[in-house]
Amino acid sequence: MKSKLTKQIPMSSDALQQRVMGLREELNKHNYLYYTLDAPIIPDAEYDRLFQELVKLETDHPNLKTIDSPTQRAGGQPLKIFPEVNHRIPMLSLDNAFTFETVQEFDKRVHDRLKTSALILYACEPKLDGLAVTLIYEEGIFVAGATRGDGVTGEQITENLRTIPVIPLKLTDKNPPHLLEVRGEVFMPKAGFKTLNERAIANNEKTFANPRNAAAGSLRQLDSKITASRPLSFFAYAIARIDGKKDVFSTHHESMEYLKHEGFPICPLNHIANGVKGCLEYYQKLVEKRHSLPYEIDGVVYKVDNLDLQKQLGFVSRAPRWAIAHKFPAEEALTELLDVEFQVGRTGALTPVARLKPVFVGGATVSNATLHNMDEILRKDVRIHDTVVVRRAGDVIPEVASVVLEKRPTHAKKIVLPKKCPVCGAEVLREEGEAAARCMGGLGCRAQQKESIIHFASRRAMNIDGLGIKLVDQLVETGFIQNIADLFQIEAESLASLQRMGVKSAENIVNAIENSKKTTFPKFLYSLGIREVGEATALALANHFHDLKSVMQANEETLQTVPDVGPVVAAHIYAFFRQPHNREVIDKLLKAGIHWPTPKPVPSVESHPFSGKTFVLTGTLSELSREEAKEKLIQFGAKVSESVSKKTDYVVVGDAPGSKLAKAENLGVAILDEKQFLKLLNNN
Ligand code: 9MJ
């Protein structure tokens, strides 16, 4: 019988070698495009196909395997210990500055030592909150890597470092230096950290307190396959040594350009500043950007850019005289948990709140922090009188992040969920599958009354100016009002009789209540405080039903035809409108004169120009918050992504955009300013 035409002809060993080398080059290129530039040009399935072809060739021909092959990133045999290594060039630590004055003193010392009054150029870099490592390349191939350790001796973690996708296993230079030693920081991006912890919670495993600990825990795994499964990344920030290369650089930033060219990821926020003034401006900019970055930073680093000047300045003990770390205020601090109280929210949910020994953290004194819910308390094993880590990051509510178990005193007390509501004494129940325990007192509970009124009056709901927490508290405690409809019966005279309330302010509030009567349908729906109905859902309901009666009459099945409304939300909406008390309150509100224009019909999601498109938002928008923009996009059937890639359809650019704008320009992604975005959003 004739052989089939499709039968493969065996490759010559030369051709085999060529194919293997070609595949590696191709895979390295796509790896770099995907992980370092976040701009893939081939589908994942095509990458996998090329990868599997290489795996097969290397398995069939083990003599063709090399340590710089992309197949070596998956992790190898577990180790017994990490061997110790002496760093040929010590890994420096940096002096710290916590104030602008200390940075100015540093700049003065630099000038004094160099005996110059000329402006110094400084390389400014974010100070990444990860682990310092060193990477050694011989003849262009990654051969060894180690942790910083004490700066003189570290641990060899070569196999673990090999698994980090952005660390090049081979330099791109066809004529590489004989030896290159690169220093940088391994870190875990915030998004990866979040997913890792969510997975740990789902599997009943221990979580990491912060991305830094997660990165450290992941790098110190004796089984490199575990490291390979962790979302680690890396930025290079120094060349410790380069041998056998002509035309070496005269500035730090040139050395970074070289590393970038060789395939290393370099932080896109690095910047050259003119003198100390430029450094402090950079600091200020990063303070503002800090929380919107995809990775954690704990300060900035200033380095004299000129390498000759660096040499002249030299070192003092283990720190260079040519660099300093300007630290941000710490976002974590230790303190004692004095007690736990349970606060009752708008929907009756009981939130455990930690009363703390006051501690200065994230730029403010904190004496209360959330413990989220009972599951979190049990998972973190928090007890009263424990020493706890308090975290206050940006404008996020301070939280108890973890416990220092080693410091637990013998009189530490377990935290118990109260059986009765601490405000109204009604039963506390926890429904199946819910994290929160709830007071069953409903709107008979004063806490729930107050919270529902505060929500109703809030800026994004009915926007009643001057009706804040303190006043609502007083109004409910004195029995003036019990529900949102009562607000519209308040008279200025009786209001003025309240404590700390003048005639003028009473009039202002009554006027504000009067003015709030003119509203919009989505705002009214949102202000009712139906569980799980945020602004986006309220808007979707308004767009779908057009009038209140239809929303109130809709059954759960109909409600689920509204975009983003699933069975749980539908059940909450349905139940809300079945409660006689709620119907009564709504009736009173309408009778009091609350009104809105009939909503303009909006086009269906499918026909909206944003439907099915992928958006990235960068910078600050003036008309709406990023969260609002995101909600609206989702409502119109668009996807919102954190990073720009070839798959991005639009990048919306606000004030002070980040590196995403540059990336969008590089990739030729369509860019919209806020005005253009709003115009398209409103479909006109
Ligand atoms: C960090 N942690 O981001 C240095 N670093 O330079 C940056 N650390 C450093 N540079 C010399 N960006 C010693 C340490």
Side-chain angles (χ1 to χ4, degrees):
M1 210 165 84
K2 272 188 193 169
S3 67
K4 281 189 183 160
L5 279 172
T6 51
K7 191 175 168 192
Q8 295 223 329
I9 302 157
M11 273 197 247
S12 72
S13 77
D14 247 15
L16 251 174
Q17 185 137 15
Q18 285 302 319
R19 180 66 188 150
V20 166
M21 278 169 29
L23 279 168
R24 283 182 192 147
E25 200 163 316
E26 185 81 0
L27 285 164
N28 279 338
K29 182 178 92 180
H30 292 302
N31 195 61
Y32 180 74
L33 285 165
Y34 185 92
Y35 287 103
T36 305
L37 299 187
D38 196 10
I41 56 169
I42 58 167
D44 292 357
E46 178 60 9
Y47 182 92
D48 292 343
R49 197 194 62 71
L50 294 169
F51 191 86
Q52 287 314 321
E53 185 184 344
L54 181 60
V55 169
K56 179 154 193 336
L57 288 175
E58 287 181 351
T59 312
D60 293 350
H61 309 276
N63 57 320
L64 293 180
K65 260 191 194 163
T66 58
I67 55 165
D68 64 327
S69 172
T71 58
Q72 302 304 300
R73 287 194 188 275
Q77 291 298 317
L79 302 176
K80 294 257 179 328
I81 51 150
F82 294 120
E84 281 197 348
V85 275
N86 281 328
H87 299 302
R88 276 193 278 187
I89 298 163
M91 290 185 76
L92 308 171
S93 58
L94 295 171
D95 281 337
N96 287 327
F98 292 94
T99 63
F100 279 30
E101 289 73 41
T102 324
V103 177
Q104 275 152 346
E105 283 159 20
F106 158 77
D107 178 58
K108 184 169 182 311
R109 281 198 304 277
V110 167
H111 279 92
D112 289 350
R113 262 201 177 257
L114 295 174
K115 296 191 176 59
T116 175
S117 57
L119 201 71
I120 305 275
L121 294 183
Y122 288 103
C124 300
E125 301 170 352
K127 186 170 186 302
L128 307 154
D129 201 7
L131 282 99
V133 298
T134 193
L135 310 172
I136 298 172
Y137 292 78
E138 284 175 4
E139 306 302 338
I141 306 294
F142 174 62
V143 292
T147 60
R148 177 175 180 275
D150 61 8
V152 176
T153 310
E155 285 177 321
Q156 190 169 343
I157 51 160
T158 313
E159 294 316 311
N160 291 354
L161 290 167
R162 212 190 283 290
T163 67
I164 300 177
V166 297
I167 292 183
L169 300 182
K170 187 179 180 190
L171 306 181
T172 52
D173 199 341
K174 294 280 177 243
N175 190 14
H178 299 312
L179 187 127
L180 175 70
E181 187 162 352
V182 174
R183 302 270 159 91
E185 199 89 353
V186 170
F187 59 92
M188 188 175 286
K190 289 176 192 169
F193 166 73
K194 191 164 166 262
T195 318
L196 186 68
N197 264 0
E198 281 167 358
R199 211 185 314 149
I201 292 171
N203 295 335
N204 249 330
E205 288 165 3
K206 219 175 145 287
T207 54
F208 290 105
N210 54 46
R212 205 198 101 82
N213 288 1
S218 304
L219 258 195
R220 294 203 73 267
Q221 292 288 336
L222 288 164
D223 182 352
S224 51
K225 287 201 168 63
I226 297 180
T227 313
S229 74
R230 301 283 171 83
L232 294 173
S233 196
F234 170 83
F235 278 135
Y237 54 63
I239 292 182
R241 185 168 166 186
I242 179 160
D243 292 350
K245 183 90 193 151
K246 286 204 192 90
D247 303 327
V248 271
F249 350 87
S250 57
T251 60
H252 173 74
H253 80 265
E254 279 167 20
S255 72
M256 292 300 102
E257 281 304 314
Y258 169 75
L259 289 184
K260 194 170 171 181
H261 188 258
E262 291 310 306
F264 290 91
I266 307 295
C267 181
L269 298 169
N270 291 359
H271 165 80
I272 299 295
N274 277 327
V276 68
K277 189 164 170 279
C279 290
L280 298 179
E281 282 165 9
Y282 178 79
Y283 176 88
Q284 207 52 49
K285 227 166 92 182
L286 282 214
V287 165
E288 283 157 31
K289 258 197 174 149
R290 175 183 193 185
H291 294 109
S292 61
L293 295 179
Y295 40 80
E296 293 215 327
I297 62 172
D298 59 350
V300 296
V301 183
Y302 312 125
K303 300 173 179 174
V304 170
D305 191 39
N306 185 301
L307 297 180
D308 273 345
L309 298 184
Q310 281 193 5
K311 219 170 176 177
Q312 284 180 49
L313 287 160
F315 303 87
V316 55
S317 67
R318 292 250 191 86
R321 286 203 189 87
W322 43 262
I324 197 160
H326 189 177
K327 302 283 284 273
F328 296 144
E331 294 193 322
E332 286 185 358
L334 292 183
T335 192
E336 189 193 337
L337 172 62
L338 301 175
D339 201 1
V340 173
E341 283 172 24
F342 286 81
Q343 266 177 6
V344 184
R346 174 166 54 86
T347 59
L350 262 62
T351 304
V353 178
R355 304 289 176 219
L356 305 165
K357 194 167 157 202
V359 63
F360 193 74
V361 56
T365 301
V366 169
S367 42
N368 300 312
T370 181
L371 281 155
H372 300 291
N373 54 52
M374 284 310 287
D375 281 352
E376 282 286 286
I377 289 177
L378 289 178
R379 202 176 54 73
K380 290 175 183 159
D381 189 16
V382 191
R383 300 189 193 177
I384 295 168
H385 302 305
D386 264 339
T387 296
V388 293
V389 177
V390 181
R391 191 173 161 77
R392 179 179 183 271
D395 42 17
V396 178
I397 300 168
E399 63 159 0
V400 172
S402 56
V403 175
V404 187
L405 286 176
E406 296 76 24
K407 293 197 175 194
R408 171 163 292 165
T410 46
H411 65 288
K413 245 176 44 195
K414 285 199 175 172
I415 299 161
V416 278
L417 177 72
K419 290 197 167 59
K420 304 271 180 224
C421 170
V423 177
C424 73
E427 211 183 346
V428 168
L429 281 183
R430 195 170 153 183
E431 281 164 36
E432 185 78 20
E434 278 216 26
R438 282 173 209 280
C439 154
M440 293 293 121
L443 284 172
C445 171
R446 274 195 185 163
Q448 294 184 53
Q449 287 171 2
K450 287 180 199 170
E451 293 298 327
S452 70
I453 297 168
I454 291 165
H455 172 77
F456 181 81
S458 63
R459 195 174 59 80
R460 310 264 280 269
M462 300 298 279
N463 193 17
I464 305 177
D465 220 21
L467 195 67
I469 296 173
K470 281 200 179 131
L471 181 57
V472 172
D473 199 62
Q474 218 186 346
L475 287 169
V476 174
E477 286 300 331
T478 52
F480 238 80
I481 59 169
Q482 286 186 333
N483 59 50
I484 51 180
D486 295 344
L487 281 172
F488 296 89
Q489 308 306 323
I490 297 179
E491 285 167 3
E493 277 150 46
S494 42
L495 197 58
S497 69
L498 285 178
Q499 273 178 0
R500 290 185 299 273
M501 177 67 68
V503 175
K504 187 75 201 141
S505 2
E507 273 173 12
N508 287 345
I509 287 168
V510 171
N511 283 340
I513 293 173
E514 184 60 31
N515 292 339
S516 75
K517 287 182 183 170
K518 183 171 180 266
T519 184
T520 66
F521 187 31
K523 274 187 196 288
F524 179 75
L525 282 175
Y526 171 64
S527 75
L528 293 175
I530 306 167
R531 263 175 78 183
E532 304 288 338
V533 177
E535 282 174 284
T537 309
L539 183 61
L541 287 168
N543 285 342
H544 186 88
F545 291 103
H546 309 302
D547 65 85
L548 182 60
K549 208 166 151 198
S550 310
V551 186
M552 290 176 74
Q553 284 173 347
N555 61 23
E556 291 178 57
E557 206 181 313
T558 315
L559 286 163
Q560 283 184 58
T561 60
V562 179
D564 254 8
V565 175
V568 174
V569 183
H572 285 312
I573 300 169
Y574 182 76
F576 182 91
F577 291 115
R578 296 288 111 20
Q579 280 204 19
H581 171 82
N582 292 338
R583 295 178 86 97
E584 220 173 276
V585 167
I586 290 170
D587 201 40
K588 282 187 186 164
L589 290 172
L590 299 178
K591 286 209 172 102
I594 290 185
H595 62 284
W596 54 84
T598 310
K600 268 196 283 184
V602 292
S604 68
V605 165
E606 292 74 32
S607 66
H608 194 277
F610 289 173
S611 173
K613 301 279 192 253
T614 301
F615 279 75
V616 172
L617 304 166
T618 179
T620 315
L621 302 173
S622 58
E623 293 271 316
L624 66 182
S625 74
R626 242 204 246 196
E627 241 357 86
E628 287 172 284
K630 199 167 157 183
E631 279 184 17
K632 292 206 163 142
L633 283 167
I634 292 167
Q635 198 209 327
F636 286 126
K639 272 198 294 202
V640 181
S641 165
E642 286 303 317
S643 55
V644 181
S645 75
K646 279 232 155 156
K647 290 181 194 154
T648 312
D649 294 294
Y650 296 101
V651 172
V652 179
V653 180
D655 236 18
S659 58
K660 289 170 190 170
L661 172 60
K663 198 157 183 184
E665 284 168 345
N666 274 342
L667 292 173
V669 174
I671 293 164
L672 299 176
D673 63 21
E674 185 170 354
K675 221 166 136 193
Q676 294 166 316
F677 169 63
L678 289 175
K679 209 165 166 210
L680 281 170
L681 188 71
N682 296 323
N683 211 2
N684 56 27

